[in-house]
Amino acid sequence: MTVIKCISPVDGSVYAEREAMPLATAQAAVARAKKAQKAWAKRPLDERIQLVLKGVARVNEMADEIVPEIAWQMGRPVRYGGEFKGFNERSNYVAEIAGSSLAPIVIENSERFERRIEREPHGIVFVIAPWNYPYMTAINTIAPALMAGNVVIIKHAAQTLLVGERLVRAFNEAGVPEDVFQNVFLDHDTTSALIAGNAFDFVNFTGSVEGGRAIERAAAGTFTPVGLELGGKDPGYVMEDADLDAAVDTLMDGATYNSGQCCCGIERIYVNEALYDEFVEKSVAWVSNYKLGNPLDPETTLGPMAHKRFAATVRAQIADAVSKGAKALVDPKLFPADDGGAYVAPQILVDVDHSMEFMTEETFGPAVGIMKVKSDAEALALMNDCKYGLTVSLWTKDSERAATIARDLETGTVFQNRADYLDPALCWTGVKETGRGGSLSVIGFHNLTRPKSYHFRKALA
């Protein structure tokens, strides 16, 4: 029997463990979900929406348990209070637009013809959720999928082993039937076998590029629709007319919050030569104010990375860049808690270029590189010189200039004068190796349903 373990980054102990389901047990869960789906879809839309919102409210009531659990599981400091703001914002927004997003598109309703397009749920939606924002990323699919009449089976990351269990418990306690929303503990082989066996009608995966490839390989030939949000190396570009202090504050927060473990975190920054020196100076001062330490301490502002192997990747990229001429500007003596393991001091590198993995491969840690540029054209070429494309953050007071640059950017979302934020009214999507598909917004509902056309001829005369 395979045992799935969560190794806490706080102290390296086994914080939680669960037995992985045998294939037959998982198949039985899928069968129960399939049986429950039709009845769930026949419930009135408003009833499904309200049950989902009651589940969201029940999760909020568990805050005192959830916040320290997140700290123990993946290292985010308790002072930040969990993910409830974004969790609630996304749930509430999709509830507001569910009716209009799922409404039939009526082409004609005359004495002779009725022609319309309706949205039908796929059936069983399988959510494979990541550890970095374990509640917010999961709810992006769970809430609209359930509202649209799908049933949901969630498999959470081993690093946040308890989250799927807690989400399902909250929703079941709120009135969502047990077979409509289920949590499973699966190893990789069983997960692949289920997908390859056509167990699901839609698969949503958030995680690594290699994980996404494994999902696609498993789904090959099944025609199961797949949504993938994978790697990122999101850039910021600070133009000469930018609000410097606002840019420093937002971009440094975007680069280091959650120990840099954000899907749309800022990993590389290009600054116009007119502002470069001042931007770098202010950024180093900003980052140097962090307090690295135990995430259960309310004074801690930067916790450990989720696992020491993730921290090892960050250190290796920094060391490689420094060996090739980069300079590290943040004094490591300011962060005595850096233990060479999961606790990693934040860092800013300059004299970097795209020959270094640090500027081209996903780092996913509290470290960022800053390069000087002379023009929009140079910045644009550098921003697009990447195999990923999730978000880009542009800093300028000139919206027309930002729009001109944005049209040539190879990315899913372009921000002006903000970063590292998911707007639930907009489609969350990526290009290149960041993945395919899109969540939230009306498009998210459309991805979680399929169209059915009705062409009724009422009279033959």
Side-chain angles (χ1 to χ4, degrees), residues 191-256:
T191 299
S192 294
L194 289 168
I195 295 171
N198 246 331
F200 310 110
D201 301 297
F202 185 90
V203 177
N204 179 266
F205 172 78
T206 304
S208 69
V209 173
E210 285 309 308
R213 290 195 175 107
I215 298 298
E216 284 203 323
R217 284 193 296 269
T222 67
F223 307 116
T224 303
V226 174
L228 303 171
E229 186 197 325
L230 310 175
K233 192 72 181 176
D234 291 4
Y237 172 34
V238 181
M239 296 168 230
E240 71 279 359
D241 68 335
D243 181 324
L244 181 62
D245 289 336
V248 168
D249 185 62
T250 302
L251 292 174
M252 288 304 105
D253 181 69
T256 55

Side-chain angles (χ1 to χ4, degrees), residues 388-412:
Y388 306 110
L390 185 57
T391 78
V392 174
S393 178
L394 303 178
W395 287 82
T396 175
K397 297 181 177 70
D398 187 340
S399 293
E400 289 187 10
R401 182 181 179 187
T404 298
I405 297 169
R407 291 185 188 99
D408 288 326
L409 284 167
E410 298 163 355
T411 191

